[in-house]
Amino acid sequence: MGKMLANNKTTSKDTNSSNSRNSAIQNIQQRNPVRSQVDQTDSSIAQIFGANVFSRQTMRGLLPKNVYKAVVNCLDNGVRLDPALADVVANAMKDWAISHGASHFTHWFQPMTGLTAEKHDSFLGFSADEGAILEFSGKNLIQGEPDASSFPSGGIRSTFEARGYTGWDPTSPAFIMESINGKTLCIPTVFCSYSGHALDKKSPLLRSIDAINKQALRVLKVLGSNDAKRVSCTVGPEQEYFLIDESFYLLRPDLITAGRALFGAKPPKGQEMEDHYWGSIKERVLSFMMDAELELYKLGVPVKTRHNEVAPAQFEVAPIFENSNIATDHNMLLMEVFKKTAQKHGLRCLFHEKPFSGVNGSGKHNNWSLADSNGNNLLDPGHTPHENLQFLVFLTAVIRAVNKHGGLLRGSIAFAGNDHRLGANEAPPAIMSVYLGDKLTQVVEALITGKAGEAKLSRTIQLGVSTLPDLPSDDSDRNRTSPFAFTGNKFEFRAVGASQSIAFPNTVLNTMVAESLDYLATKIEEASKSNKDLNAVVQNVLKETLTENKRILFNGDNYSRVWHEEAERRGLPNHRNTVESLPTFITKESIELFKKYSILDEEELTSRYKIMLESYCKTINIEALLTMSMGTTMILPTALKYQGQLASTITQTKSALGNIDLTAEEKILKEVAERVGQLRGALEQLDALSKEADEGDSDLLSHAKFYQQKVIPAMNNVRTVADELETMVDDALWPLPKFREMLYIY
Ligand code: ADP
Ligand code: MG
């Protein structure tokens, strides 16, 4: 026993890396599920829900009647709130926040980094008579002037006017963020430049919500439905994520800096047993989930479902849908709360689209629909002929939108992280298409041909006269391979990346559909002038529009090669990566589209194109530098150490035993030495290319192309050899936690 200990001691110098991996595992063994600060067993969700939100209910209790009415009118009907009333609201908000323990406030906004931003101000002020007082005015509420000159603007702001301004968005409620030593009142705001250009993700989203409202109301009106005051977009984003124990995470510079593993051989067991999906949730993970959910309930985020996802250590959370603006804020909050709570539980939450190659990545399924102010879902087939007619018009508008502007939809989800996922046979391909399901497809075909389909449709469809066959409201046989699927009463845009804000994809989606609704409303209005039979008019317009756009419909397997060939025959764009995809934004048609509906003017649109390209280059550059540093300082030395051990083993054996056959040992040594040479070569090549990229092309697109075509393959070459070495080198020497550990031990 004593001897073994001594032995361990002598080898410990050589096995530092394995020791850190081992002590990570020992740490994990010591961990226990962490208790939440809120005792849910004592208070029901209903009591906790929205406790930290300056909600309608809160305002009704605190504001004078006339002010409350004005706020509600602003929320429900988009009527601007009189600035004179803002002081009253501000005061109530301050008192409420202070009574809940808040000491500071911040305008909370979403710059084009894709993250949220905050700059805190205390309520503290001084008066000669009273000394320290707490103050917050209508002016503080309505406008902020953070010196926010370091956010990306894509060239909109010149440095002499670098300031950005934040403006209160009353349609998303203020809330209180808790942290260990205090609380902060957060006021959702938009962020723009002095000239009024949008510098954030929220302003264009709000504009697109307005645009769709206007056009949808026109459609309703021309169809004879006049009782809706507003139409809003509803969104329910399902969020996938990974959880990794913090002890492993901290040993992986790549996870820390890039959010994904740049190295790592495929684990012997991946997801092939399909034993993780919807499996029983481990106690430690469940305690994290419940804790995070409680925090979210306080913030009024209606999280609803939780389950294990397909890949090991992967999970999903889904909320109840809300209007698109609030759903966007709530998804940002969800990601923030999940990250924070995970740390409290000794875990790290990864939202990267592909943290671990070889197993599924993470997406965000953006469930989307339209609802009128009476609560009717406009994409719900309904039961009366009139409801069906209306449904088919809105359905046709979406189909047409995806066909006409699929490239933009694709572009809205184009970034480095999502490139790993789309088309990787676990997520939809980069080709945009619409899945309708068999029954609805038959309806569409019948509309196009004017004849009844074969199966369930026993008669010709006469819009507004006959009812549609009952459409399944939840098509359980839904197609999981489609990027844009109709799921009974909503569309599910499944290609959105897990880490990205849903603001931009929804902005694009809303804009496209607004244009389509505009088109249909105009067509129907025009045809109605000469033909008083509304049903016949609509039937004709739909027939024509569906015929023109039916190439976008596809119910089959989107992963299959057959579809890729078919899609090409149909002329559907296939932008395989970010660099191919982004230029769609600056075509003449796109610029006109975004301008026409006052979503983004040319400068604003171009700035987004630039920021997205820049962000792509920066991401790849960081990954390349990390690959080099980890390859050079962690993997190469480990391989050399092992090579040295093998070499001395061979010499020592030779000197002990003389002329003995050491072919096997020599073969191992040779294989390792070869890989070392290859790794060194690959690192040199990556270094050279990355320097070349650095010197850079002044043209942003060519610069990005260089990263995509040269730097990424060079990174992949380094990884291939490094991952081979991982499977050869003595496990005790390997410094990086392995996939088989990270994905299974937590
Ligand atoms: P799944 O797609 O996993 O079967 P569901 O269909 O129940 O699950 O819902 C998934 C998400 O879709 C949820 O977040 C839900 O709130 C959202 N959702 C449901 N109806 C709508 C709607 N009308 N508009 C937007 N999102 C919706
Ligand atoms: Mg779903």
Side-chain angles (χ1 to χ4, degrees):
M1 198 58 199
K3 203 172 167 218
M4 268 184 70
L5 274 179
N7 258 345
N8 274 349
K9 255 197 184 133
T10 43
T11 52
S12 71
K13 263 195 212 120
D14 296 334
T15 56
N16 271 339
S17 327
S18 137
N19 279 349
S20 48
R21 272 168 55 216
N22 283 341
S23 54
I25 292 173
Q26 279 163 18
N27 284 345
I28 298 165
Q29 270 186 314
Q30 312 295 322
R31 293 200 202 276
N32 287 314
V34 177
R35 210 172 260 288
S36 164
Q37 270 153 14
V38 184
D39 189 356
Q40 205 194 349
T41 44
D42 269 356
S43 35
S44 74
I45 299 181
Q47 279 172 304
I48 301 166
F49 194 83
N52 284 352
V53 183
F54 194 63
S55 60
R56 269 178 201 229
Q57 289 85 330
T58 315
M59 284 190 272
R60 197 171 54 203
L62 296 176
L63 295 175
K65 241 197 188 119
N66 66 320
V67 181
Y68 176 69
K69 253 189 167 165
V71 172
V72 167
N73 201 17
C74 165
L75 298 185
D76 288 346
N77 307 319
V79 176
R80 243 189 134 81
L81 187 68
D82 180 356
L85 300 182
D87 257 327
V88 186
V89 179
N91 225 348
M93 200 187 272
K94 178 197 74 177
D95 290 344
W96 170 81
I98 291 170
S99 74
H100 280 71
S103 58
H104 286 64
F105 70 92
T106 178
H107 279 191
W108 184 76
F109 58 102
Q110 296 170 31
M112 290 190 279
T113 53
L115 306 170
T116 61
E118 50 193 82
K119 181 196 170 208
H120 299 196
D121 254 304
S122 84
F123 290 121
L124 185 66
F126 283 101
S127 96
D129 304 332
E130 299 168 71
I133 51 165
L134 298 179
E135 55 184 12
F136 181 63
S137 65
K139 205 171 142 257
N140 293 148
L141 172 64
I142 290 182
Q143 205 188 66
E145 224 179 296
D147 182 15
S149 47
S150 293
F151 287 114
S153 80
I156 283 184
R157 286 178 303 174
S158 35
T159 30
F160 62 84
E161 192 23 280
R163 264 165 195 272
Y165 295 81
T166 51
W168 181 34
D169 166 21
T171 57
S172 181
F175 55 91
I176 292 173
M177 261 302 203
E178 296 182 0
S179 49
I180 300 180
N181 291 327
K183 299 179 184 177
T184 309
L185 169 68
C186 299
I187 302 158
T189 54
V190 294
F191 180 49
C192 59
S193 74
Y194 181 68
S195 52
H197 281 118
L199 293 172
D200 67 345
K201 301 222 169 202
K202 284 296 292 292
S203 323
L205 176 67
L206 293 174
R207 295 171 188 167
S208 75
I209 292 171
D210 270 355
I212 215 165
N213 167 53
K214 214 188 227 165
Q215 301 304 333
L217 284 178
R218 268 184 71 209
V219 168
L220 288 177
K221 192 165 160 226
V222 73
L223 296 180
S225 314
N226 290 311
D227 38 345
K229 279 195 183 150
R230 258 186 98 76
V231 169
S232 56
C233 314
T234 52
V235 171
E238 300 164 57
Q239 175 75 54
E240 294 176 333
Y241 60 97
F242 279 84
L243 288 175
I244 299 298
D245 191 277
E246 187 165 60
S247 308
F248 288 140
Y249 175 89
L250 294 174
L251 292 174
R252 298 278 322 207
D254 43 3
L255 288 184
I256 295 175
T257 308
R260 74 179 183 100
L262 297 172
F263 296 97
K266 205 170 164 326
K269 180 182 175 217
Q271 61 196 41
E272 59 277 71
M273 305 296 282
E274 296 170 332
D275 50 356
H276 189 66
Y277 187 62
W278 287 24
S280 72
I281 304 172
K282 282 189 188 177
E283 183 63 24
R284 206 179 142 212
V285 169
L286 189 58
S287 64
F288 152 78
M289 289 175 170
M290 290 180 161
D291 197 4
E293 286 163 9
L294 283 171
E295 290 305 319
L296 288 167
Y297 290 151
K298 286 195 253 173
L299 294 166
V301 181
V303 276
K304 176 86 169 157
T305 64
R306 53 168 106 104
H307 64 80
N308 286 3
E309 253 304 327
V310 172
Q314 192 189 28
F315 309 91
E316 182 184 298
V317 53
I320 297 173
F321 67 91
E322 299 176 278
N323 82 51
S324 180
N325 179 24
I326 296 182
T328 301
D329 285 1
H330 281 174
N331 183 249
M332 297 309 286
L333 279 177
L334 183 144
M335 291 197 282
E336 213 168 305
V337 167
F338 264 49
K339 278 190 200 156
K340 218 160 99 175
T341 313
Q343 267 179 268
K344 201 172 118 190
H345 289 249
L347 295 162
R348 290 298 175 124
C349 184
L350 307 178
F351 288 116
H352 194 283
E353 285 64 32
K354 193 76 176 178
F356 305 101
S357 64
V359 296
N360 271 15
S362 300
K364 183 137 56 189
H365 297 174
N366 191 82
N367 294 276
W368 177 95
S369 189
L370 293 170
D372 73 14
S373 44
N374 299 319
N376 300 310
N377 180 348
L378 300 179
L379 286 173
D380 203 333
H383 300 293
T384 66
H386 183 78
E387 281 169 351
N388 281 326
L389 174 120
Q390 193 178 293
F391 161 72
L392 286 171
V393 174
F394 281 94
L395 182 83
T396 302
V398 179
I399 292 171
R400 180 184 171 280
V402 180
N403 185 43
K404 292 276 177 224
H405 310 291
L408 291 173
L409 196 61
R410 165 69 183 96
S412 74
I413 47 152
F415 58 101
N418 223 11
D419 278 0
H420 294 285
R421 196 180 144 251
L422 297 184
N425 268 13
E426 44 144 303
I431 307 165
M432 294 294 121
S433 66
V434 175
Y435 167 85
L436 290 183
D438 290 341
K439 271 196 177 174
L440 198 49
T441 303
Q442 284 174 31
V443 172
V444 165
E445 274 165 7
L447 276 170
I448 291 175
T449 57
K451 285 198 210 98
E454 308 148 30
K456 300 274 177 333
L457 292 177
S458 52
R459 56 201 144 61
T460 309
I461 287 193
Q462 290 242 312
L463 281 186
V465 179
S466 52
T467 50
L468 293 177
D470 262 352
L471 296 168
S473 67
D474 195 332
D475 195 352
S476 53
D477 196 25
R478 65 182 60 163
N479 186 332
R480 296 260 163 212
T481 68
S482 174
F484 202 84
F486 185 72
T487 52
N489 57 5
K490 61 183 189 288
F491 277 97
E492 188 172 333
F493 183 23
R494 304 179 60 248
V496 180
S499 70
Q500 81 175 120
S501 156
I502 58 171
F504 193 54
N506 280 301
T507 304
V508 172
L509 181 55
N510 297 345
T511 308
M512 291 160 41
V513 176
E515 189 270 339
S516 248
L517 289 169
D518 180 3
Y519 171 88
L520 288 177
T522 308
K523 279 253 161 189
I524 299 172
E525 280 162 8
E526 272 169 12
S528 297
K529 282 179 198 155
S530 55
N531 185 346
K532 295 294 164 216
D533 181 351
L534 179 70
N535 293 333
V537 165
V538 174
Q539 181 132 2
N540 268 337
V541 170
L542 293 190
K543 176 180 175 162
E544 197 187 295
T545 312
L546 288 168
T547 308
E548 239 179 73
N549 293 284
K550 65 177 183 204
R551 65 164 189 170
I552 199 70
L553 301 176
F554 181 64
N555 286 344
D557 180 0
N558 286 252
Y559 298 169
S560 70
R561 180 183 290 273
V562 187
W563 167 234
H564 287 234
E565 288 159 8
E566 168 70 17
E568 197 175 333
R569 265 197 300 279
R570 294 191 193 183
L572 294 174
N574 181 6
H575 298 146
R576 281 158 303 180
N577 54 57
T578 303
V579 178
E580 282 180 25
S581 175
L582 290 180
T584 317
F585 283 111
I586 50 161
T587 61
K588 210 168 137 250
E589 297 79 42
S590 303
I591 292 169
E592 263 160 30
L593 172 72
F594 285 95
K595 198 159 98 191
K596 181 166 180 197
Y597 297 95
S598 306
I599 315 293
L600 294 164
D601 67 18
E602 184 169 355
E603 205 179 338
E604 289 173 318
L605 187 62
T606 315
S607 77
R608 272 147 189 86
Y609 164 75
K610 281 189 201 154
I611 290 172
M612 287 191 279
L613 273 181
E614 272 166 13
S615 153
Y616 177 84
C617 297
K618 286 174 188 167
T619 306
I620 308 298
N621 184 45
I622 291 169
E623 288 187 350
L625 295 178
L626 246 152
T627 300
M628 279 189 289
S629 96
M630 289 174 70
T632 311
T633 64
M634 298 178 92
I635 293 167
L636 200 56
T638 306
L640 284 171
K641 199 181 281 174
Y642 183 50
Q643 184 180 323
Q645 283 179 5
L646 288 172
S648 10
T649 305
I650 291 169
T651 354
Q652 282 164 20
T653 314
K654 266 190 187 147
S655 77
L657 297 176
N659 212 2
I660 186 183
D661 179 13
L662 291 174
T663 324
E665 289 83 344
E666 281 163 3
K667 202 168 161 219
I668 303 175
L669 175 59
K670 214 168 139 227
E671 279 170 3
V672 171
E674 267 168 21
R675 301 284 183 312
V676 164
Q678 287 164 6
L679 180 59
R680 171 80 190 144
L683 283 165
E684 273 172 2
Q685 202 189 16
L686 177 60
D687 184 42
L689 285 167
S690 153
K691 284 203 177 100
E692 198 180 328
D694 221 20
E695 282 154 21
D697 205 305
S698 55
D699 175 57
L700 204 48
L701 186 61
S702 328
H703 194 47
K705 265 189 195 149
F706 189 87
Y707 276 109
Q708 191 252 318
Q709 288 165 4
K710 297 279 170 16
V711 179
I712 291 183
M715 269 165 62
N716 291 342
N717 288 342
V718 172
R719 179 173 189 161
T720 306
V721 195
D723 289 357
E724 277 170 17
L725 280 166
E726 184 190 315
T727 65
M728 302 166 83
V729 169
D730 181 0
D731 184 70
L733 295 178
W734 200 255
L736 296 167
K738 299 185 173 183
F739 283 18
R740 62 153 200 259
E741 295 161 337
M742 290 190 286
L743 294 172
Y744 289 97
I745 307 174
Y746 56 88

